[in-house]
Amino acid sequence: MSNLQQSYNAGQTKGQTQEKAEQWTESAKETAHSARDKTANAAQSTKESAQHGQQQASGIIQQTGESVKNMAQGAVDGVKNTLGINEKK
């Protein structure tokens, strides 16, 4: 094989190698972007789920507080009735 042919083959190989490297780099970038997007979506979903859970917990605490208040008022009314001092109008 002549020097000219060897130089041609070397140049061709170098070009193919560069092209492959560019393809791999582009593929890695696309994979990284996809992973970033999926992570962002998962984080947003987790945030929304946590907010929903917090809202539900707040509602339950409020209902429990109202129930305790009503039970306490019922107990007070019962004691007043027993003692005959209930001032219901």
Side-chain angles (χ1 to χ4, degrees):
M1 193 181 305
S2 71
N3 278 345
L4 183 59
Q5 184 64 36
Q6 286 177 338
S7 292
Y8 173 78
N9 289 344
Q12 191 174 23
T13 301
K14 180 181 176 185
Q16 290 171 350
T17 302
Q18 285 177 335
E19 185 176 339
K20 270 291 187 205
E22 289 173 8
Q23 289 173 353
W24 288 344
T25 300
E26 189 60 34
S27 176
K29 285 179 184 178
E30 289 172 5
T31 301
H33 289 317
S34 177
R36 182 193 64 206
D37 292 345
K38 287 178 183 179
T39 301
N41 290 341
Q44 182 64 29
S45 177
T46 301
K47 178 183 174 186
E48 290 170 1
S49 180
Q51 287 173 341
H52 180 69
Q54 185 179 25
Q55 289 170 352
Q56 285 182 326
S58 294
I60 290 170
I61 290 170
Q62 183 178 4
Q63 289 174 353
T64 303
E66 289 174 8
S67 295
V68 169
K69 176 184 164 192
N70 291 336
M71 287 190 301
Q73 186 61 51
V76 168
D77 289 342
V79 169
K80 285 182 177 181
N81 285 337
T82 301
L83 298 174
I85 58 173
N86 196 356
E87 300 176 0
K88 288 215 174 195
K89 297 178 182 176

